[in-house]
Coordinates of all heavy atoms in Angstrom, one line a residue:
G1 N 7.4 -24.9 -14.7 CA 7.1 -25.3 -13.3 C 6.9 -24.2 -12.3 O 6.6 -24.5 -11.2
S2 N 7.2 -23.0 -12.7 CA 7.0 -21.9 -11.8 C 5.5 -21.5 -11.8 O 4.8 -21.6 -12.8 CB 7.9 -20.7 -12.2 OG 7.5 -20.2 -13.5
F3 N 5.1 -21.0 -10.6 CA 3.7 -20.6 -10.5 C 3.4 -19.3 -11.1 O 4.1 -18.3 -11.0 CB 3.3 -20.6 -9.0 CG 3.2 -21.9 -8.4 CD1 4.2 -22.4 -7.6 CD2 2.0 -22.7 -8.5 CE1 4.1 -23.7 -7.0 CE2 2.0 -24.0 -8.0 CZ 3.0 -24.5 -7.2
R4 N 2.2 -19.2 -11.7 CA 1.8 -17.9 -12.3 C 1.2 -17.0 -11.2 O 0.5 -17.5 -10.3 CB 0.7 -18.2 -13.4 CG 1.2 -19.0 -14.6 CD 0.0 -19.4 -15.5 NE -0.4 -18.2 -16.2 CZ -1.5 -18.2 -17.0 NH1 -2.2 -19.3 -17.1 NH2 -1.8 -17.2 -17.7
S5 N 1.5 -15.7 -11.3 CA 0.9 -14.8 -10.4 C -0.4 -14.3 -10.9 O -0.8 -14.5 -12.1 CB 1.9 -13.6 -10.1 OG 1.9 -12.8 -11.3
V6 N -1.1 -13.6 -10.0 CA -2.4 -13.0 -10.5 C -2.2 -12.0 -11.6 O -3.0 -11.8 -12.5 CB -3.2 -12.4 -9.3 CG1 -3.7 -13.4 -8.3 CG2 -2.3 -11.3 -8.6
R7 N -1.0 -11.3 -11.5 CA -0.7 -10.3 -12.6 C -0.5 -11.0 -13.9 O -0.8 -10.4 -15.0 CB 0.5 -9.5 -12.2 CG 0.8 -8.3 -13.1 CD 2.1 -7.6 -12.8 NE 2.1 -7.0 -11.5 CZ 1.6 -5.8 -11.2 NH1 1.2 -5.1 -12.2 NH2 1.6 -5.3 -10.0
D8 N 0.1 -12.2 -13.9 CA 0.3 -12.9 -15.1 C -1.0 -13.2 -15.8 O -1.1 -13.4 -17.1 CB 1.0 -14.3 -14.9 CG 2.5 -14.0 -14.4 OD1 3.1 -13.1 -14.9 OD2 2.9 -14.8 -13.5
I9 N -2.1 -13.4 -15.1 CA -3.4 -13.7 -15.6 C -4.2 -12.4 -15.9 O -4.7 -12.2 -17.0 CB -4.2 -14.6 -14.7 CG1 -3.5 -15.9 -14.6 CG2 -5.6 -14.8 -15.2 CD1 -4.1 -16.9 -13.6
F10 N -4.3 -11.5 -15.0 CA -5.1 -10.3 -15.2 C -4.4 -9.2 -16.0 O -5.0 -8.4 -16.6 CB -5.4 -9.7 -13.8 CG -6.5 -10.4 -13.1 CD1 -6.2 -11.1 -11.9 CD2 -7.8 -10.5 -13.5 CE1 -7.2 -11.8 -11.2 CE2 -8.8 -11.1 -12.8 CZ -8.5 -11.8 -11.7
K11 N -3.1 -9.2 -16.0 CA -2.3 -8.2 -16.8 C -2.7 -6.8 -16.4 O -2.7 -6.4 -15.3 CB -2.3 -8.5 -18.3 CG -1.8 -9.9 -18.6 CD -1.8 -10.2 -20.1 CE -1.4 -11.6 -20.4 NZ -0.1 -12.0 -19.8
H12 N -3.1 -6.0 -17.4 CA -3.4 -4.6 -17.2 C -4.7 -4.4 -16.5 O -5.1 -3.2 -16.1 CB -3.4 -3.8 -18.5 CG -2.1 -3.9 -19.2 ND1 -0.9 -3.3 -18.6 CD2 -1.7 -4.4 -20.4 CE1 0.1 -3.5 -19.5 NE2 -0.3 -4.1 -20.5
D13 N -5.5 -5.4 -16.3 CA -6.8 -5.3 -15.5 C -6.5 -5.2 -14.0 O -7.4 -4.8 -13.2 CB -7.7 -6.5 -15.8 CG -8.4 -6.4 -17.1 OD1 -8.4 -5.3 -17.7 OD2 -8.9 -7.4 -17.6
L14 N -5.3 -5.5 -13.6 CA -5.0 -5.5 -12.1 C -4.3 -4.2 -11.7 O -3.3 -3.8 -12.4 CB -4.1 -6.7 -11.8 CG -3.6 -6.8 -10.4 CD1 -4.7 -7.0 -9.4 CD2 -2.6 -8.0 -10.2
E15 N -4.7 -3.6 -10.7 CA -4.1 -2.5 -10.0 C -3.9 -2.7 -8.5 O -4.6 -3.6 -8.0 CB -4.9 -1.2 -10.3 CG -5.0 -0.7 -11.7 CD -5.7 0.6 -11.8 OE1 -6.1 1.1 -10.8 OE2 -5.9 1.0 -13.0
Y16 N -3.1 -1.9 -7.9 CA -2.9 -2.0 -6.5 C -3.2 -0.6 -5.8 O -2.8 0.4 -6.4 CB -1.5 -2.5 -6.1 CG -1.4 -4.0 -6.3 CD1 -0.8 -4.5 -7.5 CD2 -1.8 -4.9 -5.3 CE1 -0.7 -5.8 -7.7 CE2 -1.7 -6.3 -5.6 CZ -1.1 -6.7 -6.7 OH -1.0 -8.1 -6.9
K17 N -3.7 -0.7 -4.7 CA -4.0 0.6 -3.9 C -3.3 0.6 -2.6 O -3.4 -0.5 -1.9 CB -5.5 0.7 -3.7 CG -6.0 2.1 -3.6 CD -7.5 2.2 -3.7 CE -8.0 3.6 -3.7 NZ -9.5 3.7 -3.9
L18 N -2.6 1.6 -2.3 CA -1.9 1.8 -1.0 C -2.7 2.8 -0.1 O -3.0 3.9 -0.6 CB -0.5 2.4 -1.2 CG 0.3 2.7 0.1 CD1 0.8 1.5 0.7 CD2 1.4 3.7 -0.3
Y19 N -3.1 2.3 1.0 CA -3.8 3.2 2.0 C -2.8 3.5 3.1 O -2.2 2.6 3.7 CB -5.0 2.5 2.6 CG -6.1 2.2 1.7 CD1 -6.2 1.0 1.0 CD2 -7.2 3.1 1.5 CE1 -7.2 0.7 0.1 CE2 -8.2 2.9 0.6 CZ -8.2 1.7 -0.1 OH -9.2 1.4 -1.0
Y20 N -2.6 4.8 3.4 CA -1.6 5.2 4.4 C -2.1 6.4 5.2 O -3.0 7.2 4.8 CB -0.3 5.6 3.7 CG -0.3 6.8 2.7 CD1 0.2 8.0 3.1 CD2 -0.9 6.7 1.5 CE1 0.1 9.1 2.3 CE2 -0.9 7.8 0.6 CZ -0.4 9.0 1.0 OH -0.5 10.1 0.2
W21 N -1.6 6.4 6.4 CA -2.0 7.5 7.4 C -1.0 7.7 8.4 O -0.1 6.8 8.7 CB -3.4 7.1 8.0 CG -3.3 5.8 8.8 CD1 -3.1 5.6 10.2 CD2 -3.4 4.4 8.3 NE1 -3.1 4.3 10.5 CE2 -3.3 3.6 9.4 CE3 -3.6 3.9 7.0 CZ2 -3.3 2.2 9.3 CZ3 -3.7 2.5 6.9 CH2 -3.5 1.7 8.0
K22 N -1.0 8.9 9.0 CA -0.1 9.2 10.1 C -0.4 8.2 11.3 O -1.5 8.0 11.6 CB -0.2 10.6 10.6 CG 0.3 11.6 9.5 CD 0.1 13.0 10.0 CE 0.6 14.0 8.9 NZ 0.4 15.4 9.4
D23 N 0.7 7.7 11.9 CA 0.5 6.9 13.1 C -0.3 7.6 14.1 O 0.0 8.8 14.4 CB 1.9 6.4 13.6 CG 1.8 5.2 14.5 OD1 0.7 4.7 14.7 OD2 2.9 4.9 15.1
Q24 N -1.2 6.9 14.7 CA -2.1 7.4 15.8 C -3.2 8.3 15.2 O -3.9 9.0 15.9 CB -1.3 8.2 16.9 CG -0.2 7.4 17.5 CD -0.6 6.1 18.2 OE1 -1.7 6.1 18.7 NE2 0.2 5.1 18.1
S25 N -3.3 8.3 13.9 CA -4.3 9.2 13.2 C -5.3 8.3 12.5 O -5.0 7.1 12.1 CB -3.7 10.1 12.2 OG -4.7 10.8 11.5
S26 N -6.5 8.8 12.2 CA -7.6 8.0 11.5 C -7.8 8.5 10.1 O -8.5 7.8 9.4 CB -8.9 8.1 12.3 OG -9.3 9.4 12.4
G27 N -7.2 9.6 9.7 CA -7.4 10.1 8.4 C -6.5 9.4 7.3 O -5.3 9.5 7.4
K28 N -7.2 8.6 6.4 CA -6.4 7.8 5.4 C -6.3 8.6 4.1 O -7.2 9.3 3.7 CB -7.1 6.5 5.2 CG -7.1 5.5 6.4 CD -7.7 4.2 6.0 CE -7.7 3.2 7.1 NZ -8.4 1.9 6.8
K29 N -5.2 8.3 3.5 CA -5.0 8.8 2.1 C -4.7 7.5 1.3 O -4.4 6.4 1.8 CB -3.8 9.7 2.0 CG -4.1 11.1 2.7 CD -2.9 12.0 2.4 CE -3.1 13.3 3.1 NZ -2.0 14.3 2.9
D30 N -4.8 7.6 -0.1 CA -4.5 6.4 -0.9 C -3.8 6.8 -2.2 O -3.8 8.0 -2.6 CB -5.8 5.7 -1.2 CG -6.8 6.5 -2.0 OD1 -6.6 6.6 -3.2 OD2 -7.8 7.0 -1.4
A31 N -3.2 5.8 -2.8 CA -2.4 6.0 -4.0 C -2.6 4.7 -4.8 O -2.7 3.6 -4.2 CB -1.0 6.3 -3.8
R32 N -2.4 4.8 -6.1 CA -2.6 3.6 -7.0 C -1.3 3.4 -7.8 O -0.5 4.3 -8.1 CB -3.7 3.7 -8.0 CG -5.1 3.7 -7.3 CD -6.2 3.5 -8.3 NE -7.5 3.5 -7.7 CZ -8.6 3.1 -8.3 NH1 -8.6 2.7 -9.5 NH2 -9.8 3.2 -7.6
T33 N -1.1 2.1 -8.2 CA 0.1 1.8 -9.1 C -0.3 0.6 -9.9 O -1.1 -0.3 -9.5 CB 1.3 1.5 -8.2 OG1 2.4 1.3 -9.1 CG2 1.2 0.2 -7.4
N34 N 0.4 0.5 -11.1 CA 0.3 -0.7 -11.9 C 1.6 -1.5 -11.8 O 1.7 -2.6 -12.5 CB 0.1 -0.3 -13.4 CG -1.3 0.3 -13.6 OD1 -2.3 -0.3 -13.2 ND2 -1.4 1.4 -14.3
S35 N 2.5 -1.1 -11.0 CA 3.8 -1.8 -10.9 C 3.9 -2.5 -9.5 O 2.8 -2.7 -8.9 CB 4.9 -0.8 -11.0 OG 4.9 0.1 -9.9
H36 N 5.1 -2.8 -9.0 CA 5.3 -3.4 -7.7 C 5.8 -2.4 -6.7 O 6.3 -2.9 -5.6 CB 6.2 -4.6 -7.9 CG 5.7 -5.7 -8.7 ND1 6.1 -5.9 -10.0 CD2 4.8 -6.7 -8.4 CE1 5.5 -7.0 -10.4 NE2 4.7 -7.5 -9.5
T37 N 5.7 -1.1 -7.0 CA 6.3 -0.2 -6.0 C 5.4 1.0 -5.8 O 4.6 1.4 -6.7 CB 7.7 0.3 -6.5 OG1 7.5 1.0 -7.8 CG2 8.7 -0.8 -6.7
F38 N 5.5 1.6 -4.7 CA 4.9 2.9 -4.4 C 5.9 3.8 -3.9 O 6.8 3.5 -3.1 CB 3.8 2.7 -3.3 CG 2.5 2.1 -3.7 CD1 2.3 0.7 -3.4 CD2 1.5 2.8 -4.3 CE1 1.1 0.1 -3.8 CE2 0.3 2.2 -4.7 CZ 0.1 0.9 -4.4
E39 N 5.8 5.1 -4.3 CA 6.7 6.2 -3.8 C 5.8 7.3 -3.4 O 5.2 8.0 -4.3 CB 7.8 6.6 -4.8 CG 8.7 7.6 -4.2 CD 9.9 8.0 -5.1 OE1 10.5 7.0 -5.7 OE2 10.1 9.2 -5.3

């Protein structure tokens, strides 16, 4: 009865991208992960 997440269906085809930048700045950087966390 629990709902499946998109990761349950896509498995290793799914990645996440984090876009981050200094506050008040326009220069973006990015990082990727296959898990649920970024460091």
